[in-house]
Amino acid sequence: MNDARLLRRGWTTGACATAAAKAAYAALLAGAFPDPVTITLPGGGEAAFALAETARSADFATAGVVKDAGDDPDITHGALIRVRVSPAPAGAGVVFRAGPGVGMVTRPGLPIPPGEPAINPVPRQMIRAAIGEVAASHGAAGDVIVEISIENGEKLAEKTLNPRLGIQGGLSVLGTTGIVIPYSCAAWIASIQRGIDVARAAGLTHIAGATGRTSEAAVRQLHGLSETALIDMGDFVGGMLKYLRQHPVPRLSIAGGIAKLAKLGQGRLDLHAKRGLVDFAALATLAQRAGAPAPLADAIARAETALHAETLARDAGFALADAIAGAAWTVAADLLAGSGIALEILVFDRGGDLLGRAPFAPVHRAPRNRRT
C-alpha cells in the first residue's frame, strides 16, 4: 500500500468550492440544487460532488461539500466547504469574499495581493468558469458574490504555514489541478516557494531553510531572524535550492541535523529516510580526506547512526560535523550556481546545540573544489 498508484486520490479545496458555488448559483437562478453537481477540472475531465447541505432564500443560495482528500493526510480532509452565492451589481462579474474559516492575505509576495481573500488563482478561474456555465444556460449575466467558508478553518489554519505567510483568519482555498495526489510533495514545495516569495517581497536579506523544528529554532536564535525569514523546507532541500537559484536572496542558511545534512553532503536532495539512508562508507571516506586517522575512519564506517559516528569523532577530537557541513555546502552551492547567494550550512544536535558549520561564502559558480 505504499505505492501511490494503489492510494485513493481526492479533491482539492478549490474543486470542492467550485462544486458548491456552481450548485448554489444554479439554485439561485432555477430554484433547485443539482445533486450531485458536476464540474470541469483544469486539466480536462469532470468530477461529480454530492452536496452535504443546502439553503436558499430570495436573494442568496448556499451549498456545502465535504472535502474528500482520498488517502492523503490532508488536514482539511472531512472539512465542510460552504459557498454562499448572492447577486452582485451589474457588470461586477464574480466577486470573491472570505467567509468564516477562510483567510485574508496581508503581505505581498503571494499569488493574491494583500487585502484579498486567500483564494488562489486556479480555484478562482474554476469558479468563474462554473458560474459562467450556469449563467449561460439560464441567460443570466453571471454577476455574483461568492463567499467561501471552511468549517473550523481558523483553527485548522494554525497547523499550516498560513500565519507565517501573513494569511490571517483561516485557511487558503488551493488547488492547481482539482485533484489531490496522496503523499505528493507538490503542496509542500509550493509552500516553500510561497515562503520565499513573501520573504523577498518583505525585503529580507537573510532567510533560513530548516529540516525540522529544533534546527529552525536554533538558527532563528543564532541569527535573530524573524518568523518570515524561516523556511520550513523539511526534507525538500532540492526544491528550495532550485527555486532560490531563480529567485535569490543575499544570504541563505541551511540548518539541520547530522544525518540529514550528511545525506545532503552525499548528493541527496530529498532527505527523507525513504529516499535512502546515510552511506557510512562514504562518510568514512569524507572523514579520512578531512584528516581523520585510519582507525577513526574505520569506526565511522561501522557506525550504527550518523549521531553515533559524530560521537566517535568528537571523542577522538575530530570535527566530523564541520566536514559534513562542508560537503553539504558544496552540493547546495552546485544547485545555486551563478546566483551570488552567500550560503551557510549549520549542523545542530537534537538539543539545538551547534555541532558543525560551513561559514557564509558567496556562490558565484558551482564550487566543486571548495570542500571535500
Side-chain angles (χ1 to χ4, degrees), residues 40-81:
T40 301
L41 299 173
E46 295 182 334
F49 295 80
L51 301 182
E53 67 172 37
T54 59
R56 186 175 67 86
S57 74
D59 57 358
F60 77 87
T62 300
V65 170
V66 173
K67 178 173 176 177
D68 179 0
D71 289 326
D72 193 70
D74 189 315
I75 66 164
T76 56
H77 176 71
L80 178 64
I81 315 301

Side-chain angles (χ1 to χ4, degrees), residues 256-294:
I258 189 95
K260 289 189 183 293
L261 292 184
K263 288 193 284 186
L264 174 59
Q266 291 171 359
R268 293 200 177 94
L269 302 179
D270 181 341
L271 306 180
H272 196 282
K274 68 181 180 182
R275 303 297 185 194
L277 303 176
V278 173
D279 182 337
F280 288 97
L283 189 60
T285 299
L286 171 69
Q288 196 161 25
R289 288 177 177 173

